[in-house]
Amino acid sequence: MVVPIDPTSAGFLYAESRQMPMHVGGLQLFEKPEGAPRDYARKLYETMSQVDEIAPLFNKRPTRGITTAGQWVWTEDDNFDLEYHFRHSALPKPGRIRELLDLCSRLHSTRLARERPLWEAHLIEGLRDGRVALYTKLHHSLVDGIAAMRLMQSVMTTDPDKRNMPPMWAAQPSSKTAKARDEAESSLSAVPLDALRSALGITADAAGLPGALIKTLRSGLKNETSALSLYAPRTMFNTTITGSRRFAAEGWPIERLRAIGKASGTTLNDVVLAMCSGAIRSYLVDHDSLPDSTLVSMVPVGLHPKESKTSASAGGNAVGAVMVKLGTDLDDPADRLASIHKSMKTGKEALGSMSQLQIMAMSALGMAPSLVIPMLRLQGVMRPPFNLIISNVPGPKSPQYLNGARMTGSYPLSIPINGMALNITCNSYAGDMDFGLTGCRRSVPHLQRLLTHLDDELGALEKATGVS
Amino acid sequence: MVVPIDPTSAGFLYAESRQMPMHVGGLQLFEKPEGAPRDYARKLYETMSQVDEIAPLFNKRPTRGITTAGQWVWTEDDNFDLEYHFRHSALPKPGRIRELLDLCSRLHSTRLARERPLWEAHLIEGLRDGRVALYTKLHHSLVDGIAAMRLMQSVMTTDPDKRNMPPMWAAQPSSKTAKARDEAESSLSAVPLDALRSALGITADAAGLPGALIKTLRSGLKNETSALSLYAPRTMFNTTITGSRRFAAEGWPIERLRAIGKASGTTLNDVVLAMCSGAIRSYLVDHDSLPDSTLVSMVPVGLHPKESKTSASAGGNAVGAVMVKLGTDLDDPADRLASIHKSMKTGKEALGSMSQLQIMAMSALGMAPSLVIPMLRLQGVMRPPFNLIISNVPGPKSPQYLNGARMTGSYPLSIPINGMALNITCNSYAGDMDFGLTGCRRSVPHLQRLLTHLDDELGALEKATGVS
């Protein structure tokens, strides 16, 4: 069966290069159930490999040729080979988180082969604390990052006694997985404005810009209080990237973040941004390259379908984007948090007063930054419109189990792009805020040091707001 | 410093695609020294990472652009990052050879990044018998497969007590390594005929064929007893390939092979080919696709510099190639061996009577099959000129040690190409004949079964020649 690929999805295929692989990923950590056998990981791998039928999302590959008039179409993979996609890996001793992050960095650096369905999953053993990890990568032409995280989490259950749970690639899923998969499949083609959608598809070929998007971008250039600020200083992150990645991840109790928010009258998301701001500031100081003016982060907002203004049937991931000044020019952690709170509030208000069309244009920004950046170049915008993207994706609140193994953390891996070498995505899960930092290995050296800085900043914020 | 890339090497860069990565590899297995600490592999990794200066061969990367007039040149890597190139990996339990081959198959499937020097090495722990493995990959534009094996082996010593040995990428090598590296560097540019060399470079761009090579190929078409037979049946191996690989490896005592040769009046190489012939026959019978006429293997000969007719200064790897009928159409193992012996003898005689120019053309075939196959297509040769390449690379006769660890086996990984999905390369080492089989994962399914067939065939040959 041949299915046309919608222009947005095709855009990610066109935009992809060896330097800029276009896949999102997730790293999930699991505690073995009590009394698990020594070969638990092997057995879990075998269980997850026993699949009668593969779900269409995981069994389609992109093709194009003379018969498709040069257009990308989805075709079913007649040679589907599960062992190729789902792999069993291990960490060298001492099996610390560091070795796990090294392996995930490598796995996230290689491109998905287009001659096969665009996904891979790796069950990883060898952590010295006995936990088992699952790294999953999915091409952005299949799903966006948020849909990917939802899909990965949908196969789990709150029931610790449930066993023989089908993996996300199985055609016989739980109703939750089926729903997440449907949403994921529709999310990319869900942008309701045909004009914008085609424009994005075309833009990947460097052909043109939709008028509405240009207008929004221009108003951003004129008005700093707009949701879309195009004034951001150039930093070491805003450079051409290489094809290799570094990934770092860690989680902190949400309670600690909430206490700071409560004490300072700011939101949980403000505190997440303040942690990132302080950490990035310290990192840039270490590299003697902190700009005088503040860094600007694009922050996708309105992730819940209810909050978005798209119709319910259009899928779950319509987002707006606010340009938040991170206050990296300010010395004091409390000042930075206050500045972020204000910038976020102004940005959200501006977003609220935007037209449906403008919000959709913002939505496109949120969904497809890799397509938008080259567009901005074409428009002669020399300074980066923002320095990085920081997303915060809400995840499940209760502990989740996979065949009896409790998930202890869930960390997103994202897509660094040319001009945007660092990405931070957070995922809340069972009382923790899990941070996933993905960067170009060359442009963001010693990325893992940001984890220490994040931890330090959390402490500094607690102190500054009188929490501790 | 910018150094032009010679046309042959550049040819491998042009010919490379995601489906056809152009790197050769080696898998070496080591027994830990007595009394090795538990973290032996980690320590070895750290020792091999302590390098003051990187040898030029391992520190150059290909670039091209406006300043180089679109030509490929070598430039020094200003951002050299050893941790990127040299990696520490591990096998999941139970840590059998099977898990090792799975990992090597994956590692051999990914392309080398051109934004960095074109090599990787992976120190692998987790084999249940306690051995440590080293998988190394080098781009064919740096060295050919034979030079690569020599280079990998050159860093070792026969002295089990020697420690702190510099790895092959260190600028301060043993004299043996320096020599092997020099030879490797000159081997690709050593083809003395400028015309042929440029022709190969051009051919990768599908532009033309050297007259001498066409002549040799044509005479092959006319004369079946020539060294170059262009009559080979189409088999499942002679098809378009995908980008993923399967690798299988095993060694057998050379004594067993020699005994067969002695009893039958054939050479060691004849017996190697007979093992391959019988194994491939069984494999094709399993897949119900054994052709009526015999498969033909290209077998590079004259690997020693002394035996070649090139000048000594031209480097070590000038080779001729003989087209050997494998006798897969014959039922009896002894008949197949006799047929191979005869075909090899005739081929070598024909090679002996060839002109210098013709031998160089053959040499080019041996060095660059990937370039030659498209050339043959251009000439309208519809049937494959040969079905696969079987090489036999002589290695060290005495046990070799790396920082006190005895090497127990050394297996080459080669390059499957479009139309030639399976490659077999053997390496003799310390009384064993080590076989490395590299194939396209899709076109050569269950490649590892060839190992069982090789073992069976060795037994059958012993029986047929009255050795056992």
Side-chain angles (χ1 to χ4, degrees):
Chain A
M1 206 179 62
V2 172
V3 180
I5 297 184
D6 75 277
T8 309
S9 294
F12 290 107
L13 293 171
Y14 287 116
E16 188 170 55
S17 68
R18 294 190 72 195
Q19 285 70 44
M20 214 160 71
M22 283 286 153
H23 51 253
V24 294
L27 172 65
Q28 300 168 315
L29 278 164
F30 297 94
E31 240 166 33
K32 288 182 202 172
E34 251 182 82
R38 272 181 70 89
D39 61 349
Y40 174 78
R42 162 78 42 191
K43 286 273 183 297
L44 181 60
Y45 176 77
E46 284 166 4
T47 304
M48 291 172 75
S49 297
Q50 271 149 26
V51 172
D52 290 332
E53 201 188 331
I54 301 296
L57 183 67
F58 294 89
N59 194 24
K60 63 182 185 182
R61 64 187 193 88
T63 47
R64 64 171 171 176
I66 294 165
T67 54
T68 70
Q71 297 300 301
W72 284 109
V73 296
W74 292 121
T75 47
E76 215 173 292
D77 186 6
D78 297 328
N79 295 289
F80 188 82
D81 178 359
L82 183 57
E83 203 195 317
Y84 172 88
H85 296 277
F86 182 39
R87 304 169 180 190
H88 189 183
S89 297
L91 303 177
K93 291 197 177 60
R96 295 161 300 184
I97 290 294
R98 182 183 162 166
E99 277 76 38
L100 176 64
L101 296 178
D102 272 359
L103 179 60
C104 289
S105 301
R106 284 180 214 160
L107 296 177
H108 204 62
S109 300
T110 58
R111 276 178 74 179
L112 290 161
R114 292 195 182 175
E115 60 201 13
R116 297 172 187 271
L118 298 170
W119 67 279
E120 280 175 22
H122 300 252
L123 189 73
I124 303 165
E125 67 179 46
L127 274 164
R128 65 176 166 190
D129 62 14
R131 281 187 293 177
V132 169
L134 183 65
Y135 163 79
T136 313
K137 74 202 254 193
L138 292 164
H139 200 275
H140 206 328
S141 62
L142 289 180
V143 292
D144 66 44
I146 296 158
M149 287 305 286
R150 285 207 188 125
L151 185 54
M152 288 171 208
Q153 288 162 354
S154 74
V155 295
M156 280 171 270
T157 169
T158 52
D159 179 0
D161 296 323
K162 207 168 166 192
R163 295 293 185 277
N164 297 318
M165 296 164 62
M168 67 175 176
W169 48 84
Q172 302 83 15
S174 72
S175 58
K176 206 168 64 166
T177 308
K179 190 163 161 278
R181 212 152 53 194
D182 284 351
E183 278 183 15
E185 286 196 88
S186 60
S187 67
L188 278 175
S189 54
V191 184
L193 296 172
D194 275 342
L196 180 61
R197 191 167 63 195
S198 342
L200 279 169
I202 293 162
T203 308
D205 277 339
L209 259 178
L213 190 51
I214 295 177
K215 211 173 137 195
T216 313
L217 293 173
R218 286 216 180 119
S219 83
L221 273 169
K222 275 182 253 157
N223 179 7
E224 278 214 47
T225 63
S226 146
L228 188 59
S229 161
L230 294 177
Y231 291 101
R234 189 168 286 284
T235 70
M236 57 188 287
F237 307 132
N238 307 112
T239 183
T240 308
I241 61 167
T242 66
S244 57
R245 300 286 164 265
R246 272 195 202 273
F247 175 63
E250 200 165 328
W252 286 272
I254 289 182
E255 263 323 299
R256 290 181 65 186
L257 280 71
R258 277 204 204 286
I260 294 167
K262 205 173 167 189
S264 59
T266 59
T267 69
L268 179 64
N269 202 37
D270 292 340
V271 179
V272 165
L273 292 171
M275 282 176 70
C276 295
S277 168
I280 289 169
R281 183 184 149 91
S282 301
Y283 179 90
L284 289 174
V285 167
D286 285 352
H287 287 84
D288 199 21
S289 59
L290 180 70
D292 291 336
S293 58
T294 179
L295 268 70
V296 176
S297 171
M298 184 181 100
V299 180
V301 293
L303 302 174
H304 292 295
K306 309 161 207 169
E307 293 176 20
S308 81
K309 292 192 174 99
T310 56
S311 69
S313 67
N317 300 316
V319 292
V322 175
M323 299 296 148
V324 178
K325 293 186 190 170
L326 291 178
T328 49
D329 52 333
L330 304 170
D331 261 347
D332 186 76
D335 289 349
R336 288 197 290 269
L337 178 55
S339 159
I340 285 166
H341 180 69
K342 191 180 150 224
S343 178
M344 181 57 119
K345 212 167 157 240
T346 320
K348 271 192 175 165
E349 281 161 10
L351 198 64
S353 67
M354 282 167 79
S355 70
Q356 176 78 355
L357 193 65
Q358 283 171 319
I359 288 175
M360 285 319 304
M362 297 297 302
S363 196
L365 268 173
M367 287 176 57
S370 55
L371 303 180
V372 172
I373 305 300
M375 281 154 63
L376 295 173
R377 288 250 174 73
L378 288 178
Q379 291 296 307
V381 177
M382 297 311 288
R383 287 209 286 167
F386 47 92
N387 298 101
L388 77 162
I389 302 174
I390 304 177
S391 317
N392 184 355
V393 186
K397 289 199 168 86
S398 336
Q400 301 288 308
Y401 293 83
L402 178 71
N403 287 316
R406 189 170 70 88
M407 183 164 86
T408 61
S410 174
Y411 311 90
L413 290 92
S414 192
I415 306 178
I417 55 172
N418 270 331
M420 208 74 65
L422 173 66
N423 176 292
I424 302 180
T425 305
C426 301
N427 181 56
S428 61
Y429 166 62
D432 277 342
M433 185 61 77
D434 291 341
F435 285 65
L437 288 68
T438 316
C440 161
R441 181 182 172 95
R442 184 168 291 172
S443 317
V444 192
H446 305 294
L447 169 65
Q448 64 280 13
R449 288 187 193 158
L450 278 164
L451 295 181
T452 312
H453 293 319
L454 280 170
D455 193 57
D456 290 347
E457 188 63 17
L458 180 57
L461 284 164
E462 284 173 331
K463 219 168 167 183
T465 54
V467 170
S468 74
Chain B
M1 205 180 63
V2 172
V3 180
I5 297 185
D6 75 276
T8 308
S9 293
F12 290 106
L13 294 171
Y14 287 115
E16 189 170 54
S17 68
R18 294 189 73 198
Q19 285 70 44
M20 213 162 72
M22 282 286 154
H23 51 255
V24 294
L27 172 65
Q28 299 168 316
L29 278 165
F30 297 95
E31 238 164 36
K32 289 182 200 168
E34 252 181 81
R38 270 181 70 88
D39 61 350
Y40 174 78
R42 163 76 45 190
K43 287 271 181 301
L44 181 60
Y45 176 77
E46 284 166 4
T47 305
M48 290 171 76
S49 298
Q50 272 149 28
V51 171
D52 290 332
E53 199 189 331
I54 300 296
L57 182 67
F58 293 90
N59 195 25
K60 64 181 184 182
R61 65 188 190 89
T63 47
R64 63 171 171 178
I66 293 164
T67 54
T68 69
Q71 296 299 300
W72 284 109
V73 296
W74 292 120
T75 47
E76 218 174 289
D77 185 7
D78 297 329
N79 295 289
F80 188 82
D81 178 359
L82 183 57
E83 204 196 316
Y84 172 87
H85 296 277
F86 182 39
R87 303 169 180 191
H88 189 183
S89 298
L91 303 178
K93 290 196 178 60
R96 296 161 298 185
I97 290 295
R98 183 183 159 164
E99 277 76 38
L100 176 64
L101 297 178
D102 272 359
L103 179 60
C104 289
S105 301
R106 285 181 215 161
L107 296 175
H108 204 61
S109 300
T110 58
R111 276 178 74 179
L112 290 160
R114 291 194 182 175
E115 59 202 14
R116 299 173 186 270
L118 298 170
W119 66 280
E120 281 174 22
H122 301 251
L123 189 71
I124 303 164
E125 67 180 47
L127 273 165
R128 67 174 164 191
D129 61 15
R131 282 187 293 178
V132 168
L134 183 64
Y135 163 79
T136 313
K137 74 202 251 191
L138 293 164
H139 200 274
H140 207 327
S141 63
L142 289 179
V143 294
D144 65 44
I146 296 158
M149 288 305 287
R150 286 208 186 123
L151 185 54
M152 288 172 207
Q153 288 163 354
S154 74
V155 295
M156 282 171 267
T157 169
T158 52
D159 178 0
D161 296 322
K162 207 167 165 191
R163 294 291 186 279
N164 297 319
M165 296 163 63
M168 67 175 177
W169 47 84
Q172 303 83 17
S174 72
S175 59
K176 205 168 64 165
T177 308
K179 190 163 160 275
R181 212 150 53 194
D182 285 351
E183 279 185 12
E185 287 196 86
S186 59
S187 67
L188 279 175
S189 54
V191 183
L193 297 172
D194 276 340
L196 181 60
R197 193 166 63 197
S198 346
L200 279 169
I202 294 163
T203 309
D205 277 342
L209 259 180
L213 191 49
I214 294 177
K215 211 174 139 194
T216 313
L217 293 174
R218 288 219 177 114
S219 83
L221 273 170
K222 274 183 253 156
N223 179 6
E224 277 214 50
T225 63
S226 147
L228 189 59
S229 160
L230 295 178
Y231 291 102
R234 190 169 286 283
T235 70
M236 57 188 287
F237 307 133
N238 306 112
T239 182
T240 308
I241 61 167
T242 67
S244 56
R245 300 285 164 266
R246 273 194 200 273
F247 175 63
E250 199 166 329
W252 286 270
I254 290 183
E255 264 322 301
R256 290 181 64 186
L257 279 72
R258 276 205 204 287
I260 294 168
K262 204 172 167 191
S264 59
T266 59
T267 70
L268 179 63
N269 202 36
D270 291 340
V271 179
V272 166
L273 293 172
M275 282 175 71
C276 296
S277 167
I280 289 170
R281 182 185 150 91
S282 300
Y283 179 90
L284 289 175
V285 167
D286 285 353
H287 287 85
D288 200 18
S289 59
L290 180 71
D292 291 336
S293 59
T294 179
L295 269 70
V296 176
S297 171
M298 186 181 97
V299 180
V301 293
L303 303 173
H304 292 295
K306 310 161 207 170
E307 292 178 18
S308 80
K309 291 192 175 99
T310 56
S311 70
S313 68
N317 298 317
V319 292
V322 176
M323 300 297 149
V324 178
K325 294 187 192 169
L326 291 177
T328 48
D329 53 332
L330 304 171
D331 261 347
D332 186 76
D335 288 351
R336 289 196 290 270
L337 178 57
S339 159
I340 286 166
H341 180 70
K342 191 179 151 223
S343 178
M344 181 57 118
K345 211 168 158 237
T346 319
K348 272 191 172 165
E349 280 163 10
L351 198 65
S353 66
M354 282 165 80
S355 71
Q356 178 76 355
L357 193 67
Q358 284 171 318
I359 288 175
M360 284 319 303
M362 298 296 304
S363 197
L365 267 174
M367 286 174 59
S370 54
L371 303 180
V372 172
I373 306 300
M375 281 154 63
L376 294 174
R377 289 249 172 75
L378 288 179
Q379 292 295 309
V381 177
M382 299 308 290
R383 287 210 285 169
F386 46 94
N387 298 99
L388 77 164
I389 302 174
I390 304 176
S391 317
N392 184 355
V393 186
K397 290 202 168 81
S398 338
Q400 301 288 306
Y401 293 84
L402 179 71
N403 287 315
R406 188 170 70 89
M407 182 164 87
T408 61
S410 174
Y411 312 89
L413 290 93
S414 191
I415 305 178
I417 55 172
N418 270 331
M420 207 75 65
L422 173 67
N423 177 293
I424 301 179
T425 306
C426 302
N427 180 56
S428 61
Y429 165 61
D432 277 343
M433 184 62 75
D434 291 342
F435 285 65
L437 287 68
T438 316
C440 161
R441 183 182 170 93
R442 184 167 290 172
S443 318
V444 192
H446 306 294
L447 171 63
Q448 64 279 13
R449 289 190 192 157
L450 278 164
L451 295 180
T452 313
H453 292 319
L454 280 169
D455 193 58
D456 290 347
E457 188 63 16
L458 180 56
L461 284 164
E462 286 174 331
K463 219 168 165 184
T465 54
V467 170
S468 73

